[in-house]
Amino acid sequence: MGLQLKPEKTRIVHSLLRHEGNHPGFNFLGFNCRQYRRTKDKKHKTLIKPEKNKLHRHLMSMKESIRKLGKDAQNEIHRINAQITGWSNYYRTCSAAETFKKADNTVYWQIREWVKRSSHKRGFRRKARKYFKKVENRKWVFTTKEGIKLIRHDATKIVRHTKVQGDRSPFDGDWAYWGTRLGHNPLLPPRKARLLKKQKGKCGYCKHHVRSEDIIEIHHIDGNHKNHKGNNLMLIHGHCHDQITAQMQRTHDKGTVTEEPCARKPACTVLKQR
């Protein structure tokens, strides 16, 4: 094949122990891959974590951005939140929960130091009450005058990567599988694909998995077909949609019938259905 390895850039490492002065594991695309010993059954466990150097660079970048906070704090907070969101989304598929907590703790002390330095005339407690607020169950949340909050790294949920089945292909026509996995497919409208991924490939009514040969429809939960908000839409089978419509029709037909006087002639009565 003509493949050659450059000796200066090639090294042999052990996944668990130090080997020839090299640390166990290896770094690839910002991730550290290595094995760890279990204390209970004395077996090995392979974990993929964010690289330490990448975490250090990220925190140094956050430190520089926090130092620039001033009168235009609103735009700076937006930029800092964008950095936190982008970095957390990149590492959310690996074992990054401890790394996220460590990053949040470091960012908190960086902001605390900035508040302390900017309060030469005022006391730290008085200045801290100005910037740190209580939001729901969280205390000491950095908030600007406009109400913009600094987001946390651990607010990003860890989503494990699911392997593609060996006999699957994006061109096999199975829109149910790829719509559930990716949230988009050329054979499926974008709204249905997003709902299919949100519902994890299941019907919102019968909770059965959707197959490529099934007929699927979008159901409006409140019955208002002009309300296209995400929390009002549900992807269901065609026959499930028929059952819901029939049930709503039966409920509507069970209204009580009362006899009321006519508005024009007192002697005339009309039937009104409620």
Side-chain angles (χ1 to χ4, degrees), residues 119-135:
S119 58
H120 297 292
K121 298 181 181 180
R122 300 180 180 180
F124 171 75
R125 292 185 179 181
R126 185 178 178 185
K127 197 76 173 181
R129 286 194 296 267
K130 177 181 177 182
Y131 289 103
F132 293 98
K133 307 293 182 180
K134 181 180 179 180
V135 179

Side-chain angles (χ1 to χ4, degrees), residues 191 195 217-236 241 244-245 248:
R191 182 183 296 178
L195 290 174
E217 298 175 353
I218 297 178
H219 171 63
H220 295 75
I221 299 176
D222 62 354
N224 184 10
H225 289 263
K226 295 182 179 180
N227 185 5
H228 301 292
K229 295 183 179 180
N231 57 357
N232 188 48
L233 301 179
M234 182 171 58
L235 192 69
I236 58 178
H241 204 179
I244 295 176
T245 304
M248 294 176 62

Side-chain angles (χ1 to χ4, degrees), residues 118-179:
S118 61
S119 58
H120 297 292
K121 298 181 181 180
R122 300 180 180 180
F124 171 75
R125 292 185 179 181
R126 185 178 178 185
K127 197 76 173 181
R129 286 194 296 267
K130 177 181 177 182
Y131 289 103
F132 293 98
K133 307 293 182 180
K134 181 180 179 180
V135 179
E136 296 178 356
N137 296 330
R138 291 176 50 199
K139 298 181 180 180
W140 294 87
V141 179
F142 185 79
T143 310
T144 61
K145 297 179 180 179
E146 296 78 10
I148 304 173
K149 300 182 291 293
L150 181 69
I151 63 177
R152 296 174 58 89
H153 293 79
D154 58 5
T156 303
K157 296 182 180 180
I158 303 297
V159 181
R160 299 302 182 193
H161 176 73
T162 306
K163 294 183 179 180
V164 179
Q165 297 179 5
D167 57 346
R168 297 290 185 177
S169 172
F171 308 100
D172 57 5
D174 192 353
W175 53 262
Y177 174 81
W178 292 104

Side-chain angles (χ1 to χ4, degrees), residues 3-17:
L3 178 64
Q4 296 181 357
L5 300 178
K6 193 173 183 178
E8 291 80 6
K9 296 183 179 180
T10 305
R11 60 191 180 97
I12 300 176
V13 296
H14 197 279
S15 60
L16 184 64
L17 306 174

Side-chain angles (χ1 to χ4, degrees), residues 8-266:
E8 291 80 6
K9 296 183 179 180
T10 305
R11 60 191 180 97
I12 300 176
V13 296
H14 197 279
S15 60
L16 184 64
L17 306 174
R18 293 177 64 92
H19 178 70
E20 297 180 356
N22 296 322
H23 292 282
F26 63 93
N27 298 324
F28 182 71
L29 297 178
F31 296 90
N32 178 259
C33 307
R34 60 160 297 184
Q35 287 183 326
Y36 298 86
R37 279 198 180 97
R38 291 180 177 178
T39 56
K40 295 182 179 180
D41 49 10
K42 296 182 180 180
K43 293 183 180 180
H44 304 149
K45 185 177 182 179
T46 304
L47 294 179
I48 301 177
K49 297 182 178 182
E51 188 179 343
K52 293 184 178 180
N53 294 336
K54 300 298 182 181
L55 174 62
H56 179 73
R57 288 177 54 184
H58 173 64
L59 294 178
M60 290 298 101
S61 176
M62 295 290 298
K63 185 178 181 180
E64 294 297 327
S65 300
I66 292 173
R67 284 182 176 179
K68 296 179 182 179
L69 288 174
K71 297 182 179 180
D72 195 14
Q74 180 178 358
N75 295 332
E76 285 296 326
I77 287 297
H78 281 302
R79 194 163 64 88
I80 293 175
N81 286 340
Q83 292 179 359
I84 295 175
T85 302
W87 194 85
S88 302
N89 287 337
Y90 182 75
Y91 290 104
R92 66 178 181 174
T93 58
C94 66
S95 302
E98 295 181 0
T99 305
F100 287 169
K101 292 181 181 179
K102 182 178 179 181
D104 288 329
N105 183 52
T106 305
V107 170
Y108 165 76
W109 285 105
Q110 290 175 350
I111 293 180
R112 183 185 175 93
E113 187 66 22
W114 174 83
V115 173
K116 190 175 181 180
R117 288 184 178 182
S118 61
S119 58
H120 297 292
K121 298 181 181 180
R122 300 180 180 180
F124 171 75
R125 292 185 179 181
R126 185 178 178 185
K127 197 76 173 181
R129 286 194 296 267
K130 177 181 177 182
Y131 289 103
F132 293 98
K133 307 293 182 180
K134 181 180 179 180
V135 179
E136 296 178 356
N137 296 330
R138 291 176 50 199
K139 298 181 180 180
W140 294 87
V141 179
F142 185 79
T143 310
T144 61
K145 297 179 180 179
E146 296 78 10
I148 304 173
K149 300 182 291 293
L150 181 69
I151 63 177
R152 296 174 58 89
H153 293 79
D154 58 5
T156 303
K157 296 182 180 180
I158 303 297
V159 181
R160 299 302 182 193
H161 176 73
T162 306
K163 294 183 179 180
V164 179
Q165 297 179 5
D167 57 346
R168 297 290 185 177
S169 172
F171 308 100
D172 57 5
D174 192 353
W175 53 262
Y177 174 81
W178 292 104
T180 303
R181 181 180 178 87
L182 304 177
H184 60 83
N185 189 270
L187 302 177
L188 202 63
R191 182 183 296 178
K192 290 185 178 181
R194 290 192 298 267
L195 290 174
L196 190 63
K197 182 180 180 181
K198 180 182 178 181
Q199 298 173 193
K200 298 181 180 180
K202 295 182 180 180
C203 172
Y205 182 74
C206 64
K207 306 302 181 183
H208 292 169
H209 285 278
V210 177
R211 299 173 298 178
S212 57
E213 59 269 17
D214 294 339
I215 299 177
I216 56 175
E217 298 175 353
I218 297 178
H219 171 63
H220 295 75
I221 299 176
D222 62 354
N224 184 10
H225 289 263
K226 295 182 179 180
N227 185 5
H228 301 292
K229 295 183 179 180
N231 57 357
N232 188 48
L233 301 179
M234 182 171 58
L235 192 69
I236 58 178
H237 292 110
H239 58 271
C240 293
H241 204 179
D242 295 338
Q243 293 179 12
I244 295 176
T245 304
Q247 185 178 2
M248 294 176 62
Q249 188 66 28
R250 287 195 300 267
T251 304
H252 179 72
D253 293 340
K254 287 183 179 179
T256 58
V257 179
T258 58
E259 186 175 355
E260 296 183 358
C262 182
R264 294 183 179 179
K265 297 180 180 180

